[in-house]
Every structure is written in C-alpha cells, then in structure tokens.
Amino acid sequence: MAKQKAAPKKKAAAPKKAAPKKAAPKKAAPKKAAPKKAAPKKAAPKKVKAKRKPNPSFMKPLQPSAALAAIVGGKPLPRTQVVKKLWEYIRKHGLQDSQNKRMINADDKLKAVFDGKKQVSMFDMTKLVNKHLS
C-alpha cells in the first residue's frame, strides 16, 4: 500500500484584530446669522432699587414669658431683638457647643426656655422661643 502524504497542517489563524475605528468627521457648526441692527433704544430711566421693608409681624413687640424675661428682659420686644439678645447671652456664657457649632448647650435659665432639653440646635431654638412670646 502506498502511503498517502499527510495534508500539510494549516497554521491556526490568529484572531482578527478589530480595525481601529476612525473618528467621525466633525460636522461644521451651522453659521449663525449676523445680528440685525436694531433701532437705537431710548435710554430707559434707571430703576432705583427700593429698600426692602421688614415684615410688620416681625417688628411687633411681644411680651416674653417669665422664663424668657430672665434672659432678654421683661420689656416687650420684637422677635428679631429677642433672638439677637438670646445670641448675646449664649456667646457671653459660652453655651455654643465646641464640636458642633449648630448646637446650643442649655444652662439653668435656658433649660426653662428649651422645655428642659440639655442641648438644642440653633434652628429649633427659635421654634422653642416663639412659644414663650405672646
């Protein structure tokens, strides 16, 4: 028997590499129409910025309760002045928390105003103080 020649082995085809994608050609931006010349405008009178008027309900003097009067005084005061005097008292006695400046540590006088809480956030403080104004 005659020996058959083995068919030459084909080399394994290397995996096809993806052809690098070409960047899409950039489209030219549409040209903007030249601005039309407008008729010359008349000089408008300058508006004078009106000074902001405070809300009258904030400025209405309110009588503080006995607990709050120990801190801000017994005279009727507007809410804005009550909060201002409270902050003076807090700073004077060093009641603002050293780590979290938003928290107020209450002393004996402030505990009466803060419904017995030891610590209150500055945002809750105004809510609690409003209960002591009439």
Side-chain angles (χ1 to χ4, degrees):
M1 281 206 350
K3 284 189 177 180
Q4 289 181 349
K5 279 190 174 177
K9 293 183 180 179
K10 292 183 177 179
K11 293 182 182 177
K16 290 184 177 180
K17 292 183 180 178
K21 292 184 179 181
K22 293 182 180 178
K26 292 184 180 179
K27 294 180 181 177
K31 292 183 180 180
K32 294 181 181 177
K36 295 180 181 179
K37 291 184 180 179
K41 294 182 180 180
K42 295 178 182 176
K46 288 194 174 191
K47 293 182 182 178
V48 178
K49 196 170 186 179
K51 192 171 182 180
R52 187 173 166 204
K53 295 179 183 177
N55 188 337
S57 61
F58 282 123
M59 305 316 286
K60 180 181 169 188
L62 299 169
Q63 183 63 43
S65 67
L68 186 58
I71 299 168
V72 298
K75 294 180 186 176
L77 292 167
R79 290 177 201 272
T80 53
Q81 291 301 311
V82 170
V83 173
K84 191 173 182 178
K85 288 192 179 231
L86 257 173
W87 273 108
E88 287 174 9
Y89 179 83
I90 290 167
R91 288 195 184 101
K92 181 180 176 183
H93 292 90
L95 298 175
Q96 200 169 4
D97 192 43
S98 59
Q99 263 87 41
N100 187 355
K101 299 281 187 184
R102 288 182 282 190
M103 300 303 284
I104 309 300
N105 299 321
D107 63 353
D108 294 330
K109 287 182 179 180
L110 279 177
K111 269 188 189 177
V113 176
F114 293 163
D115 294 337
K117 296 179 182 178
K118 289 182 181 179
Q119 196 175 45
V120 173
S121 80
M122 64 173 65
F123 305 109
D124 293 334
M125 179 182 74
T126 52
K127 263 191 259 179
L128 294 168
V129 167
N130 283 337
K131 293 177 186 176
H132 292 274
L133 293 171
S134 57

